[in-house]
Amino acid sequence: MHWIDAVAQQLVKRGGKQVIASGISISGHIHIGHSNDVFIADAVRRAVEELGHEAESIWYADDYDPMRRVPWPLNEGELAEKYKQYLGFPYVNIPSPDPGYRSFVDYFSRPFIEALPLFGIKVKIYSGAEAYRSGRMAEAIRAALENAATIRSILNEYRDRPLPENWLPVDAVCENCGRISTTRAISWRGDYVTYRCEGTDYVAGCGHEGEADYTRGGAKLTWRVEWPARWKLLGVTCEPFGKDHAVRGGSYDTGKLIAKKVFNYEAPYPIPYEWVSMKGKRLSSSRGVVFTLKQWLEIAEPEILRYFIFRSKPMKAKEFDPGLTLLDLIEEYDLVESAYYGGGEEGKREEQQRRIYELSQVGQVSKTPIRRIPYRFAAVLAQVTTDEKKSIEILISRKMLVNPSELEIKLALRRLELARNWVREYAPENLRFKVLEQLPSGISLTPKQKQGLRQLAEDLAQREFTPVELHNHVYSVAERAGLRSDELFRAIYLVLLGRESGPRVGNFISALDRDFVIARFREASL
RNA sequence: GGGCCCGUAGCGCAGUCUGGUUAGCGUACCGGCCUUUUAAGCCGGCAGUCGAGGGUUCGAAUCCCUCCGGGCCCGCCA
């Protein structure tokens, strides 16, 4: 059984409506590593619904957290100085670097939120800042303040150095300098928290002393308390989270205790997951090691990312590589897809693969089989022509499309577009080529190579060739001209690409305009 | 100091939860086919003491214990 279904089963056993939460601190661009969070939450929602029970998945923007570090790309150039002054501010109060966005939070989160439906994710969106400002957190804050001693003793169980006697689980926003990370709560009374702006290790405080109304966003709960408070507030029954929270004595452990003792709430079913890394480095929004959902959609279908996440267990580290390795991932997906529709053997393994395929779908699983064109070939074809009709003709002649349905043609054209983008952005240099507008000047061909090209030009002018015929024809022409085949191949690549090798000649030339090729070969043979 | 993950064919991995036919897949490699193939396709082949040791069991890659190697996380920010 797939782990998503195992979780769903556990939840159903507990009974009631299931609320699966996910959430991210807006500490920079939201990348595909963060996607684990939402994708898992929403998949569990789907699985619970498939079992016939009510479920909802939510995504929570932790936009009231302080900015501890200026994230990439705002930490470069002139912007760096400007944004440094916002260190310690709640994210929600920081301006956008781009006038097209309302705020820092909007700038980093909107592209992510807008991409979610394209990946088949249906989550309810919440904002931490909104929750505090609207007063919805007020009751929880009061409970936490009243039970500060209990909370302190829970946290102290896992601390070497105990928290001070007068410690309170809230951070106020300084009304003078606007920072939240710099304040220390001194006391509380009714709806107000008295604080002093003392500073923190990465930014100084302003020394201001004041009172904050926590029923209107004047203060937030510290993370370890905020998390369980949120569980209670939203009725969270299950939550995926990064493995950092899952460590013994970490925020899940303490959260569980606080939930029980302070909020009288059963902690959600936990799903810890591993990070995603890219080229050996863990994805990190603040450090600029990012690959966003938007970037993903430029080079691969959304199903592939879902597949990437659901094909392995959540605690298994994932390595993402947008380069050549991506093509392996895509091929693997295609294979699972064709096996799904191909019937074949029935076993534990096949069953698992089928389920992973279903979980990878953006919407309903297609009832009619889906056949896709090979991405690797698309990467070549996309560089040869942008003409859609011509592309489809070539694909049909190459038998990569057989009596294609409307859908298959649509998928093929989309994949060509994706492959074109991939080649431009991520392909290794040796996979890229460009057909030269002009015959390159610096090349020298032997008389026999010229003779071969001239012959090819004549033959092309005489009759139609399928790609395979054409490819084979090159060999016979070479033979008649007394050339080794590789010498003729080299000549062809030189006059068209200016390099000694290239894509397979049959495909390649078939994809080009015939008159163009004839003219080029003739010109080169003079 | 604590915790997690990984170790299965040259390489990348699935299978481990729920033990059960000759341990799979991809790739690489070798061979063949499509009139000869420089990045397409098809068919076939080679290849593994399942990290080591012990235990449980009729039966262990799978469960338990110990150890070795690699990686990551937490240590009072979230």
Side-chain angles (χ1 to χ4, degrees), chain A residues 27-295:
Chain A
S27 58
H29 278 114
I30 301 176
H31 53 68
I32 58 170
H34 295 130
S35 310
N36 261 301
D37 224 72
V38 214
F39 281 47
I40 292 171
D42 196 54
V44 171
R45 185 218 89 217
R46 234 197 242 181
V48 170
E49 284 177 349
E50 281 172 22
L51 292 173
H53 293 257
E54 197 187 348
E56 175 185 67
S57 55
I58 68 184
W59 185 77
Y60 200 95
D62 281 310
D63 51 4
Y64 218 38
D65 290 355
M67 178 171 77
R68 297 192 172 76
R69 175 150 47 159
V70 180
W72 179 86
L74 312 184
N75 58 355
E76 292 175 346
E78 297 171 10
L79 283 176
E81 276 310 304
K82 179 182 172 192
Y83 278 92
K84 240 162 119 178
Q85 64 178 314
Y86 294 111
L87 278 173
F89 272 64
Y91 291 123
V92 74
N93 292 341
I94 302 173
S96 166
D98 178 330
Y101 297 89
R102 290 188 304 277
S103 67
F104 178 99
V105 169
D106 190 41
Y107 175 75
F108 285 119
S109 64
R110 206 202 310 163
F112 173 78
I113 292 168
E114 286 178 349
L116 290 178
L118 302 174
F119 285 88
I121 310 284
K122 291 175 195 146
V123 285
K124 196 166 173 188
I125 311 272
Y126 286 91
S127 146
E130 206 274 330
Y132 282 108
R133 287 171 173 174
S134 67
R136 272 206 303 282
M137 288 295 278
E139 199 184 320
I141 297 175
R142 186 184 299 265
L145 288 168
E146 281 167 353
N147 293 282
T150 310
I151 293 169
R152 199 173 63 232
S153 76
I154 290 170
L155 296 181
N156 280 345
E157 276 179 48
Y158 299 95
R159 296 172 68 96
D160 294 336
R161 219 178 334 121
L163 289 161
E165 274 294 300
N166 58 353
W167 175 86
L168 293 173
V170 290
D171 296 311
V173 181
C174 178
E175 62 188 338
N176 182 49
C177 72
R179 296 192 169 83
I180 187 168
S181 65
T182 46
T183 61
R184 187 175 65 83
I186 297 163
S187 62
W188 72 284
R189 174 176 47 82
D191 293 349
Y192 293 87
V193 173
T194 310
Y195 65 90
R196 192 179 303 125
C197 188
E198 297 180 340
T200 183
D201 50 354
Y202 57 88
V203 61
C206 69
H208 180 77
E209 219 169 289
E211 285 199 329
D213 182 349
Y214 64 78
T215 68
R216 294 193 307 182
K220 84 184 271 292
L221 288 169
T222 149
W223 165 249
R224 282 187 185 242
V225 184
E226 174 179 270
W227 204 17
R230 186 189 304 169
W231 295 338
K232 162 100 172 187
L233 184 73
L234 303 175
V236 178
T237 59
C238 173
E239 182 160 350
F241 47 84
K243 67 169 178 179
D244 48 345
H245 295 307
V247 190
R248 177 157 306 177
S251 47
Y252 181 76
D253 272 6
T254 55
K256 196 171 172 173
L257 291 170
I258 293 169
K260 185 117 197 177
K261 291 191 176 164
V262 176
F263 301 112
N264 188 30
Y265 190 79
E266 197 68 38
Y269 188 95
I271 311 178
Y273 60 84
E274 253 285 359
W275 316 118
V276 175
S277 58
M278 190 164 71
K279 290 170 199 147
K281 282 188 201 157
R282 174 187 148 193
L283 290 178
S284 162
S285 49
S286 61
R287 281 173 293 184
V289 186
V290 292
F291 195 86
T292 64
L293 293 183
K294 217 179 131 201
Q295 283 175 297

